[in-house]
Amino acid sequence: MLTYIAKRLAIAVPTLLLLIIISFLLMHAAPGGPFTQERALPPQVLANLEAKYGLDQPLWRQMVTYVWGIVSGFDFGPSFIYKDRTVNEIIAQGFPVTLTYGSLSFALAVLVGVTLGVFAAIYHNSWLDYLAVGVSIGAQVLPNFVMAPILVLVFTLWLRWLPGGGWEGGQWQYIVMPVIALSTSFMASIARITRSSMLEVLNSNHIRTARAKGLPERKVILRHALKPAMLPVISYLGPAFVTMITGSVVVDIYFSTGGIGKSFVDSALNRDYAVMMGVTILVGALTILFNLVVDILYAWIDPKIRY
């Protein structure tokens, strides 16, 4: 296993480097630039701005400088739009917010989704199964851009229990609605995957054998059925976790959390290449990392899997 992890890490480094290069080239291939405005700047002003940020250099030199800055000092460079801020500062401000409510959303989605899926499979075709499926379908058809205004309408305007937006250092009353809005659709997907996987495992031969030996049903479920049923769920959880902790644009904008999702959208609208690159690299690195974690969990759950 250690050899496999070392191999994956050795592959991850050039993969991430390739991601940086391709993203850099695509970003600069887009029409316009960070200083292109409806009202064109005077040529001398534009030349001075491009010289300040190194945009007057050949593209290959800009790319080498950028990659070297990341490799040598984890420096994503200055923002092209916010003159007094660096990309590192923008990410450091928004990412902890997104990480907080994203991690809580993930925990809630996994806890509720797996529980619903397992009980729906165990009590297949019972009222509990129908209830779990109904809740899952209802949650699935309520994406966060629908759930967010409903939550504000109910808990802020009608009941007046929770504030409609803000962060205030991450106080619990400001976290509740972003967590519910972000976790709902993921919870529904986890419940559906868990239910179908659990049903397949419960009808397999080794479960029939365990029951034929007279093992208690609880031991059959917990010891023999739950672990193999989690394999498809885990493969889904890796990308889902990265999606949650790197921000939802809707959640960030609707609840004014100040998370990194809004920074990414603002950078795209303002053509702030540096911030877009920084967030893209962050998402890519986290995706590679958690795919590795998923592969390790696969091998831990199913000893037959070898790499």
Side-chain angles (χ1 to χ4, degrees):
M1 179 57 74
L2 291 177
T3 305
Y4 170 74
I5 295 174
K7 287 181 180 178
R8 286 296 304 268
L9 289 175
I11 296 173
V13 174
T15 302
L16 190 58
L17 187 61
L18 191 63
L19 171 70
I20 296 172
I21 294 173
I22 293 176
S23 301
F24 186 90
L25 294 176
L26 289 176
M27 208 77 71
H28 284 74
F35 307 114
T36 303
Q37 302 173 359
E38 292 183 3
R39 184 178 179 182
L41 295 172
Q44 188 58 45
V45 174
L46 183 61
N48 290 337
L49 285 172
E50 290 183 343
K52 178 182 177 182
Y53 292 101
L55 299 177
D56 58 340
Q57 301 292 323
L59 187 59
W60 67 268
R61 183 170 294 175
Q62 294 180 44
M63 186 170 63
V64 170
T65 304
Y66 183 76
V67 173
W68 177 249
I70 296 174
V71 173
S72 61
F74 205 67
D75 181 12
F76 292 101
S79 166
F80 291 155
I81 302 301
Y82 304 103
K83 309 301 181 188
D84 55 344
R85 302 183 67 189
T86 65
V87 177
N88 292 44
E89 291 172 345
I90 293 174
I91 292 176
Q93 181 183 19
F95 186 59
V97 174
T98 308
L99 181 64
T100 300
Y101 76 74
S103 300
L104 292 172
S105 302
F106 178 79
L108 179 65
V110 172
L111 180 64
V112 178
V114 170
T115 303
L116 277 178
V118 168
F119 277 97
I122 294 174
Y123 299 100
H124 185 46
N125 286 334
S126 68
W127 69 268
L128 189 58
D129 183 21
Y130 299 143
L131 176 65
V133 172
V135 170
S136 301
I137 294 175
Q140 189 77 64
V141 299
L142 289 174
N144 51 21
F145 60 86
V146 176
M147 181 63 79
I150 292 176
L151 290 172
V152 171
L153 185 67
V154 174
F155 292 104
T156 301
L157 298 181
W158 289 354
L159 300 177
R160 300 183 184 278
W161 287 354
L162 297 171
W167 188 248
E168 298 297 330
Q171 298 178 34
W172 69 267
Q173 58 267 42
Y174 291 89
I175 298 179
V176 172
M177 289 197 291
V179 167
I180 295 174
L182 183 59
S183 63
T184 305
S185 58
F186 288 98
M187 179 270 291
S189 298
I190 293 171
R192 288 190 297 103
I193 296 171
T194 304
R195 179 180 177 274
S196 61
S197 177
M198 195 74 181
L199 282 174
E200 183 178 347
V201 172
L202 287 176
N203 291 318
S204 60
N205 291 331
H206 76 280
I207 296 298
R208 292 195 192 96
T209 303
R211 284 171 173 161
K213 288 182 178 179
L215 291 177
E217 187 65 17
R218 192 177 72 172
K219 186 174 289 187
V220 171
I221 298 295
L222 295 178
R223 182 171 295 181
H224 299 283
L226 196 55
K227 283 177 67 175
M230 287 297 103
L231 287 175
V233 181
I234 287 175
S235 63
Y236 173 80
L237 292 183
F241 183 62
V242 175
T243 303
M244 288 184 179
I245 65 172
T246 51
S248 165
V249 175
V250 174
V251 172
D252 281 340
I253 292 178
Y254 208 91
F255 294 107
S256 302
T257 60
I260 202 170
K262 186 177 184 304
S263 300
F264 185 69
V265 173
D266 290 342
S267 65
L269 295 175
N270 296 323
R271 296 174 179 171
D272 194 346
Y273 294 155
V275 176
M276 291 175 66
M277 284 292 299
V279 177
T280 302
I281 294 168
L282 175 66
V283 174
L286 290 174
T287 302
I288 292 171
L289 173 64
F290 284 100
N291 278 333
L292 174 62
V293 172
V294 166
D295 288 341
I296 295 172
L297 287 175
Y298 251 73
W300 175 70
I301 289 177
D302 188 354
K304 292 183 294 183
I305 297 177
R306 287 291 179 267
Y307 300 98

